[in-house]
């Protein structure tokens, strides 16, 4: 055997630690470039160099000459939007990694399992019905909705025999139920303007994102990343199922509660800011696995970075694909994600 | 005594699965668990390695009660090979065996020389060193079982539990796996279906029926025509094999 294996499990595609570090640096550079592009591209095109100057002005008090209008657009609108997109992509991809490992199902992700739909219902209940009497915020409403959805889907899956395939069917049923509940609340209780806003938000929209959203999205994504990384070995141990994990000394119940709580939290935070965006959690982990292999110590950072880059790029596409109009970002991710879903389904069938 | 089970019981919704089982395994011995489907073999193995908790009774490893041993510490001592455990992940033989080091490592601790040596030794003991880079999905059933045994050995256990390790294997690989287990320098408990293979390889045999131990002892004392008829419902003629000296069970058809 040439070359001693280093680090975690995967050596399938990436041979050494050095290649992995190189890839990590490359992906950070790509993410920064993508964010810079996202900030520059738009109705008012701003040269990338101006973007860098404006950022340098804010962060390091560098006194570059940038027009106040440009600096305002860059800083107040586009930068916050790009950062939320990145955080959201990373969090959704991490949720996908967790669910696919814990449920041992390649199709598991928050959107497919109905967790996003549950979070939407929770958020809409707070927003329109005023559930929680002003004590519950939109995000905590979404969090409760996400947990309820996950509980319901788990019970449905367990009741139908508990096989790993069943949970996807249970997720479909859960999605339908919560989408119906959301529509019910919107049509019976919302006024026309609220209804229009909710429908646009449900498709996934970064339009109304401002800095306060960054202060929610970024810590959730970063915190989620750290917790995930801390559980990388535990997720590896689930490769042959939960009994195998337990016999390797993993506290299975505790790990499940922590990680499923984390997934619900990340999904809820992102849904409450940008609406339910599908397929990122499905496609990105598979793409990352293809590059760095199945070991979670590498899969987790790779998925987080790939998710962040993908969402920032998807946001750019959503803004430029139709001139003078902004497509909901959920539509863009679904246009990429649905074919990928079909492809994974096809491969899963052949592998059996 | 390496493993000692006293009056252990475990039930699913008031239906007893393991019913007041008492048995012991001496250090270094291989104990065969025999019994029809649903007699509680798998459940008993899961109780012994702490995956399920006994409702009453006591299970001890050495002089420690397993319910008092923390999860991670327990899995550094006792390893389980499940029947037919598989995965969709594109994972190599060596990566599977490395999973066996999980109980020895912290969440972020680096891979050490000890880990590397344990994996190399485990691969070697299971005869899989030359196939360490192979993908899991290209392996035959017998090779997969060997990889699982190697993974269990990488935990460096003193006790090894195997749940029907020879299921769905052809006869060559059944013999292969059992002689491998018999040679390992650990205490082992093996759930088996084949009476003749159990007689050939096990030091002692326990026969389970409806969750209870109905007989335990050396193959010669346990595998009698009467007991086999009572537990398995088949007619047999048992003699001593002139080739390996162990009991040999001839199955008789209903008419013969």
């Amino acid at each position: 055997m040439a070359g001693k294996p280093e680090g975690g499990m995967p050596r399938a595609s990436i041979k050494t630690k050095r290649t992995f570090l190189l890839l990590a640096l490359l992906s950070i550079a790509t993410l920064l470039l993508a964010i810079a592009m996202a900030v520059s591209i738009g109705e008012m095109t701003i040269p990338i160099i101006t973007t860098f100057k404006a950022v340098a002005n804010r962060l390091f008090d560098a006194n570059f000459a940038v027009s106040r209008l440009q600096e305002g657009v860059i800083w107040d609108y586009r930068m916050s939007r790009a950062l939320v997109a990145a955080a959201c992509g990373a969090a959704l991809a991490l949720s996908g990694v967790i669910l696919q490992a814990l449920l041992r199902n390649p199709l598991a992700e928050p959107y497919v399992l109905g967790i996003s739909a549950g979070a939407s219902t929770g958020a809409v209940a707070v927003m329109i019905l005023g559930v929680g009497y002003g004590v519950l915020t939109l995000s905590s409403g979404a969090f409760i909705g996400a947990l309820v959805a996950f509980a319901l889907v788990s019970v449905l899956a367990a009741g139908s025999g508990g096989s790993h395939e069943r949970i996807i069917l249970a997720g479909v049923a859960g999605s339908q139920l919560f989408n119906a509940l959301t529509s019910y609340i919107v049509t019976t209780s919302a006024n026309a303007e609220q209804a229009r806003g909710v429908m646009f938000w449900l498709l996934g929209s970064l339009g109304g994102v401002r800095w306060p959203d960054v202060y929610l999205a970024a810590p959730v994504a970063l915190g989620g990343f750290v917790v995930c990384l801390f559980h990388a070995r535990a997720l590896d141990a689930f490769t042959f199922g939960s009994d195998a994990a337990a016999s390797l000394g993993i506290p299975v119940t505790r790990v499940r509660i922590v990680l499923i709580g984390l997934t619900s939290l990340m999904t809820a935070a992102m849904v409450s800011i940008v609406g339910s965006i599908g397929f990122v959690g499905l496609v990105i982990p598979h793409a990352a696995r293809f590059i760095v292999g199945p070991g979670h110590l590498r899969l987790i950072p790779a998925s987080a970075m790939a998710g962040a880059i993908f969402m920032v790029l998807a946001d750019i596409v959503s803004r430029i694909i139709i001139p003078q109009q902004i497509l909901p970002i959920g539509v863009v991710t679904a246009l990429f994600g649905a074919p990928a879903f079909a492809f994974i389904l096809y491969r899963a069938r052949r592998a059996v | 005594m390496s493993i000692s089970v006293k009056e252990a019981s475990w039930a699913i919704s008031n239906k007893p699965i393991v019913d007041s089982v008492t048995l012991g395994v001496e250090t270094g011995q291989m104990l065969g668990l025999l019994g029809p489907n649903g007699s509680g073999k798998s459940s008993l193995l899961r109780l012994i390695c702490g995956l399920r908790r006994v409702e009453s009774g006591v299970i001890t490893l050495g002089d420690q009660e397993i319910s008092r041993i923390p999860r991670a510490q327990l899995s550094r001592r006792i390893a389980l090979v499940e029947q037919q455990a598989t995965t969709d992940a594109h994972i190599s033989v060596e990566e599977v065996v490395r999973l066996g080091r999980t109980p020895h490592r912290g969440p972020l601790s680096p891979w050490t020389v000890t880990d590397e040596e344990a994996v190399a030794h485990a691969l070697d003991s299971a005869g899989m060193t030359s196939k360490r880079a192979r993908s899991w999905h290209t392996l035959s059933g017998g090779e997969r079982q060997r990889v699982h045994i190697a993974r269990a050995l990488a935990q460096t256990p003193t006790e090894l539990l195997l749940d029907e390790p020879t299921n769905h294997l052809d006869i060559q690989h059944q013999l292969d796996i059992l002689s491998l287990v018999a040679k390992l320098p650990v205490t082992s408990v093996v759930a088996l279906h084949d009476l003749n293979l159990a007689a050939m390889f096990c030091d002692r045999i326990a026969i389970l029926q409806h969750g209870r131990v109905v007989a335990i002892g050396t193959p010669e004392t346990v595998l009698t025509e009467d007991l086999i008829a009572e537990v398995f419902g088949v007619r047999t003629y048992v003699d001593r094999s002139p080739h390996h000296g162990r009991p040999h069970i001839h199955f008789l058809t209903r008419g013969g």
Side-chain angles (χ1 to χ4, degrees):
Chain A
M1 277 293 298
K4 254 173 74 168
E6 303 258 358
M9 286 208 308
R11 301 176 310 115
S13 316
I14 292 206
K15 290 288 181 287
T16 64
K17 208 173 206 165
R18 231 165 112 195
T19 341
F20 181 71
L21 287 179
L22 202 71
L23 200 77
L25 288 176
L26 198 71
S27 66
I28 290 171
T30 313
L31 178 61
L32 292 179
L33 190 69
I35 291 177
M37 274 167 60
V39 171
S40 304
I41 296 169
E43 257 175 80
M44 179 170 102
T45 308
I46 297 170
I48 279 200
I49 190 74
T50 315
T51 303
F52 282 121
K53 279 179 185 165
V55 171
N57 282 354
R58 283 289 175 127
L59 293 183
F60 312 112
D61 281 328
N63 281 310
F64 290 114
V66 179
S67 84
R68 187 166 289 173
L69 176 67
Q70 281 187 330
E71 194 165 323
V73 168
I74 290 169
W75 203 252
D76 294 332
Y77 295 101
R78 294 191 185 163
M79 188 55 95
S80 53
R81 182 183 179 126
L83 289 179
V84 166
C88 184
L92 291 176
L94 289 174
S95 301
V97 169
I98 292 175
L99 291 173
Q100 284 163 22
L102 287 186
L103 303 174
R104 301 215 301 143
N105 190 313
L107 298 176
E109 67 129 354
Y111 191 75
V112 171
L113 291 180
I115 302 174
S116 303
S120 304
T121 307
V124 166
V126 171
M127 199 183 337
I128 293 174
L129 296 182
V131 173
Y133 304 102
V135 180
L136 277 181
T137 59
L138 206 65
S139 322
S140 40
F143 180 58
I144 294 169
L147 283 179
V148 169
F150 197 88
L152 181 83
V153 168
S154 308
V155 168
L156 261 181
S160 67
S163 81
H164 296 303
E165 287 76 31
R166 291 295 165 90
I167 194 141
I168 299 296
L169 292 179
V172 171
S175 296
Q176 298 293 335
L177 172 69
F178 284 105
N179 286 338
L181 276 177
T182 306
S183 303
Y184 180 81
I185 295 171
V186 171
T187 42
T188 52
S189 306
N191 59 39
E193 189 164 334
Q194 277 179 321
R196 208 179 129 334
V198 167
M199 281 312 168
F200 200 72
W201 166 74
L202 281 181
L203 284 171
S205 158
L206 287 161
V209 166
R210 297 292 177 269
W211 276 101
D213 300 317
V214 179
Y215 302 141
L216 174 64
V220 166
L222 280 176
F225 173 70
V226 171
V227 175
C228 275
L229 210 55
F230 200 73
H231 284 90
R233 296 255 162 78
L235 288 170
D236 283 343
F238 274 89
T239 305
F240 289 96
S242 52
D243 266 3
S247 76
L248 287 171
I250 303 298
V252 168
T253 313
R254 197 184 74 203
V255 166
R256 274 207 182 124
I257 290 173
V258 168
L259 290 182
I260 283 176
L262 178 70
T263 310
S264 305
L265 178 71
M266 289 197 291
T267 308
M270 300 314 154
V271 165
S272 69
I273 300 170
V274 299
S276 67
I277 292 176
F279 299 107
V280 179
L282 177 77
V283 178
I284 298 300
H286 284 282
R289 221 172 266 127
F290 186 72
I291 298 168
V292 299
H296 286 86
L297 215 51
R298 284 175 181 184
L299 183 59
I300 286 166
S303 297
M305 285 309 283
I309 295 169
F310 176 77
M311 276 291 264
V312 174
L313 294 180
D315 179 41
I316 298 177
V317 170
S318 78
R319 284 185 283 146
I320 61 173
I321 195 163
I322 305 173
Q324 311 299 321
Q325 209 180 331
I326 296 174
L327 214 57
I329 190 168
V331 174
V332 177
T333 61
L335 284 177
F336 281 102
F341 184 94
F343 178 72
I344 295 162
L345 200 63
Y346 182 74
R347 269 209 348 180
R349 188 186 63 99
R350 275 199 313 181
V352 169
Chain B
M1 199 70 81
S2 173
I3 299 172
S4 145
V5 180
K6 282 197 192 80
E7 305 273 319
S9 297
W10 184 71
I12 299 177
S13 51
N14 289 327
K15 184 178 178 287
I17 305 294
V18 174
D19 193 358
S20 180
V21 164
T22 298
L23 55 80
V25 195
E26 299 283 345
T27 305
Q29 274 199 341
M30 180 167 173
L31 174 76
L33 290 182
L34 293 176
N37 290 330
S39 56
K41 302 186 293 288
S42 295
S43 302
L44 180 58
L45 288 178
R46 280 168 172 69
L47 289 176
I48 294 174
C49 65
L51 288 188
R52 309 282 179 270
R53 276 175 168 248
V54 287
E55 275 155 16
S56 61
V58 175
I59 299 175
T60 49
L61 280 186
D63 49 10
Q64 268 183 303
E65 209 180 302
I66 61 153
S67 57
R68 293 171 192 273
I69 308 177
R71 176 87 266 162
Q73 197 186 322
L74 188 62
S75 41
R76 287 195 284 269
R77 159 135 202 201
I78 190 162
L80 170 72
V81 174
E82 291 180 282
Q83 50 173 317
Q84 301 294 312
T86 188
T87 178
D88 291 330
H90 290 272
I91 188 170
S92 74
V93 167
E94 188 172 342
E95 284 160 7
V96 176
V97 179
R98 280 167 156 250
L99 287 177
R101 296 307 294 167
T102 307
H104 296 269
R105 306 172 74 191
L108 297 170
S109 58
W111 189 250
T112 64
V113 181
T114 321
D115 293 324
E116 190 62 43
E117 282 169 0
V119 166
H121 188 247
L123 281 166
D124 189 45
S125 303
M128 289 303 289
T129 304
S130 61
K131 291 173 180 148
R132 63 196 294 167
R134 287 267 299 276
S135 160
W136 172 261
H137 295 278
T138 65
L139 300 179
S140 70
E143 287 169 330
R144 287 182 181 194
Q145 215 51 267
R146 277 175 172 269
V147 175
H148 275 308
I149 292 171
R151 191 264 304 145
L153 291 177
Q155 286 172 248
T156 55
T158 47
E159 284 86 12
L160 181 62
L161 311 179
L162 300 101
D163 192 1
E164 298 184 21
T166 55
N167 245 10
H168 305 296
L169 298 186
D170 58 41
I171 187 63
Q172 186 198 349
H173 288 104
Q174 291 187 28
L175 290 166
D176 199 49
I177 292 289
L178 288 177
S179 49
L180 165 65
V181 173
K183 267 185 282 179
L184 292 173
V186 293
T187 309
S188 54
V189 182
V190 190
L192 285 171
H193 266 305
D194 191 308
L195 305 184
N196 279 310
L197 289 179
M200 268 177 77
F201 290 102
C202 297
D203 299 307
R204 298 209 317 152
I205 285 174
I207 302 213
L208 271 76
Q209 188 181 28
H210 309 309
R212 291 174 162 272
V213 176
V214 291
I216 181 164
T218 58
E220 289 79 6
T221 56
V222 168
L223 293 172
T224 62
E225 288 151 17
D226 289 344
L227 190 80
I228 294 171
E230 188 199 315
V231 174
F232 295 93
V234 291
R235 295 207 306 128
T236 52
Y237 170 74
V238 181
D239 66 0
R240 187 177 288 269
S241 163
H243 306 289
H244 53 65
R246 299 293 191 106
H248 183 87
I249 295 109
H250 304 263
F251 296 100
L252 308 175
T253 55
R254 282 181 195 280

